[in-house]
Amino acid sequence: MDKMAVIGGVALKGEVKASGAKNSALPLIFSTLLCEGTHQLKNVPNLMDIGSANRLMESLGCKVDFANGELTIDVPQQLETLAHYDQVRKMRASILVLGPLLARFGKAKVSLPGGCAIGARPIGFHLDALEKMGAKIKVEGGYVIAECEKLKGSKIEFPFASVGGTENIMMAASLAEGVTEIHNAAREPEIEDLANYLKKLGAKVEGAGSSVVKVTGSTQLRASQHSVIPDRIEVGTLVAAGAMTGGQVKVLDCRPQDLGAFLEALKKIGFQITTTEDSIEVCCGQDLRPLDIVTEPHPGFPTDLQAQMMALLTQVDGTSHISETVFENRFMHISELARLGAHIEVDGNTATIHGSQAPLLGAPVMATDLRASACLVLAGLVAQGETIVNRIYHLDRGYEKLEDKLSKLGANIRRIKNEG
Ligand code: EPZ
């Protein structure tokens, strides 16, 4: 397993370009199952999760060609409708094939994704909504087995603004009979990106980005092309790196409007943030003040930037608090930050960060999940001496060449490849 070696103390400076959004590319890839033909996606990041999604698409019978950020998917008229455990267990978002396969073929057998490090991550909201639309669903032998004559448009009310649930139902509704209204829909930018592609395919989608999304099913969808929006979580991670190292970093090819709550938090702490239509620059942290943060569905503070913000707050004198309300077990980076000398207490879903200017001290740490691994790399950028982040396959799931991007900004970081 590869490791990352980081020697802290360098103030990052310069410009860096963001990659395409993992959490938009994944639903976009699976949405191509809705109609046969040649679909073309651009600005697709080269990540392990994208590779897993492409392998799953091939197992269903699609032809996939991926090079230089351009993904061409040839979807045939007939498809396999079984998504095997071996494929799904590698990447939970694979559950997003359920909606499209069921809507198009009237049947689908998809392995339950299983939980992951950050939580149980059940899919009951997805299944309840599909049943409301007329599907017969049973869970047997670790698989969701779904059948329907023809999905019917319905009024769906999500108990929680689930991103994956909203995406699965938007895709299913694109081929359902009539109108589907999704209430308490997720409002993430990736939802809007998916809606834009569904409209290009020929579906009628209104209200994406708001908490009520209306989809009118179509009988005639046709393949199209689309460019994936920038990855707001990667952008936030790079901005946090510039801020916490006391540097000056400008991230290009990004969308500041996708990071409102995160940028507001940085300004409240005391950083200078300058934005243009497609760039964010951070610098000049002065008189940094501690801050209390609560993670929420978009447009609230993103749970996917919680760990990275925690690393930053260890560098801010005083007591800050972070409450994690989206996932039930997303604090595993805390015990690893403690190995670097951070002083953080946990009480239920709230972490109390006793920050200080005293530097962290480099040490070997272990990544436990995707955003925790980013947090530990960031902490290594400010820790005295060398930090070794183990198990960075977690990082490779969601960050494209992060070490190259950080090196370009002056960081002293290198990947130790494990030949084993
Ligand atoms: C998406 O996961 C993202 N993944 C996650 O990013 C992100 O953290 C999450 O949305 C929240 O923003 C992708 O887009 C591929 P949810 P998803 O359904 O769709 C509960 C990363 O780091 N829930 O909004 O799985 C669930 O357990 C990843 O890039 C149910 O209880 O998230 C969780 O507590 C991590 N029943 C909460 O809702 C359901 O049927 C939010 O889940 C569905 C969800």
Side-chain angles (χ1 to χ4, degrees):
M1 284 182 246
D2 289 6
K3 303 175 180 175
M4 202 73 88
V6 192
I7 296 180
V10 177
L12 301 190
K13 288 202 185 336
E15 295 186 347
V16 63
K17 289 171 67 139
S19 298
K22 164 180 85 82
N23 290 349
S24 187
L26 290 171
L28 286 169
I29 288 169
F30 297 132
S31 74
T32 66
L33 295 168
L34 286 164
C35 64
E36 66 176 295
T38 302
H39 301 253
Q40 294 199 306
L41 299 176
K42 291 190 170 68
N43 198 33
V44 177
N46 186 9
L47 303 169
M48 275 173 59
D49 274 7
I50 300 297
S52 303
N54 291 343
R55 295 304 74 78
L56 172 54
M57 293 293 281
E58 286 170 337
S59 74
L60 296 175
C62 300
K63 188 172 163 303
V64 171
D65 183 49
F66 184 37
N68 309 317
E70 304 220 351
L71 181 56
T72 303
I73 305 174
D74 284 313
V75 180
Q77 197 177 32
Q78 282 311 318
L79 279 173
E80 173 59 65
T81 56
L82 162 69
H84 199 275
Y85 172 65
D86 284 349
Q87 307 280 351
V88 176
R89 70 184 170 85
K90 285 182 206 134
M91 215 257 308
R92 303 189 71 268
S94 311
I95 193 63
L96 294 177
V97 304
L98 177 61
L101 290 176
L102 183 60
R104 186 165 160 212
F105 299 104
K107 62 176 182 157
K109 183 176 178 183
V110 181
S111 168
L112 281 169
C116 79
I118 63 178
R121 299 181 74 179
I123 55 166
F125 303 161
H126 304 231
L127 305 185
D128 295 349
L130 289 170
E131 281 181 330
K132 189 120 193 259
M133 295 172 76
K136 296 270 172 295
I137 293 182
K138 59 184 179 185
V139 176
E140 230 167 60
Y143 281 81
V144 173
I145 301 164
E147 283 179 357
C148 67
E149 276 304 303
K150 174 94 176 143
L151 290 178
K152 301 261 182 306
S154 311
K155 183 179 176 191
I156 305 295
E157 183 82 45
F158 277 132
F160 183 91
S162 160
V163 171
T166 303
E167 291 165 343
N168 235 335
I169 299 312
M170 280 167 68
M171 293 188 283
S174 300
L175 281 178
E177 222 161 64
V179 179
T180 298
E181 279 190 11
I182 306 170
H183 292 256
N184 199 18
R187 300 173 56 191
E188 275 68 9
E190 293 77 30
I191 300 286
E192 289 184 76
D193 208 25
L194 175 62
N196 289 335
Y197 192 53
L198 293 176
K199 285 187 245 185
K200 285 183 181 176
L201 297 180
K204 188 175 172 207
V205 186
E206 299 158 285
S210 79
S211 51
V212 180
V213 177
K214 219 166 112 177
V215 181
T216 306
S218 155
T219 51
Q220 270 308 318
L221 297 178
R222 65 199 166 288
S224 185
Q225 45 73 37
H226 190 70
S227 185
V228 179
I229 58 171
D231 190 319
R232 62 192 167 100
I233 304 304
E234 183 198 45
V235 172
T237 305
L238 294 166
V239 170
M244 62 196 280
T245 57
Q248 179 156 356
V249 167
K250 187 173 187 179
V251 183
L252 309 174
D253 293 356
C254 66
R255 298 182 356 155
Q257 69 270 30
D258 291 348
L259 281 164
F262 175 72
L263 297 178
E264 268 319 297
L266 288 179
K267 287 177 196 166
K268 281 187 190 146
I269 293 169
F271 294 100
Q272 197 172 310
I273 301 287
T274 313
T275 59
T276 66
E277 198 185 316
D278 61 357
S279 73
I280 299 171
E281 184 167 35
V282 60
C283 75
C284 323
Q286 297 204 328
D287 311 323
L288 301 184
R289 299 174 292 283
L291 185 67
D292 291 351
I293 287 168
V294 180
T295 67
E296 293 172 315
H298 195 78
F301 189 96
T303 175
D304 292 350
L305 283 170
Q306 177 257 106
Q308 297 91 317
M309 181 53 93
M310 192 178 291
L312 184 149
L313 287 170
T314 65
Q315 303 302 295
V316 177
D317 260 330
T319 302
S320 301
H321 299 90
I322 296 184
S323 294
E324 172 56 61
T325 71
V326 176
F327 287 105
E328 69 266 29
N329 187 34
R330 206 171 195 178
F331 279 159
M332 283 170 298
H333 39 285
I334 291 176
S335 47
E336 298 304 308
L337 287 171
R339 287 182 48 75
L340 303 174
H343 180 195
I344 304 171
E345 293 154 342
V346 178
D347 177 10
N349 74 339
T350 298
T352 300
I353 301 107
H354 301 285
S356 93
Q357 291 297 6
L360 300 175
L361 299 179
V365 290
M366 188 163 77
T368 49
D369 57 86
L370 168 54
R371 306 304 173 181
S373 40
C375 154
L376 295 172
V377 169
L378 293 182
L381 292 173
V382 295
Q384 237 167 27
E386 183 174 64
T387 296
I388 299 282
V389 184
N390 291 288
R391 300 192 177 179
I392 55 156
Y393 59 85
H394 289 291
L395 193 75
D396 296 336
R397 295 193 51 181
Y399 289 92
E400 186 176 8
K401 299 198 183 80
L402 184 64
E403 67 269 29
D404 295 357
K405 289 170 177 157
L406 292 172
S407 301
K408 244 189 89 193
L409 296 170
N412 188 336
I413 181 170
R414 66 190 168 83
R415 178 181 289 259
I416 303 169
K417 290 200 83 55
N418 179 339
E419 302 317 324

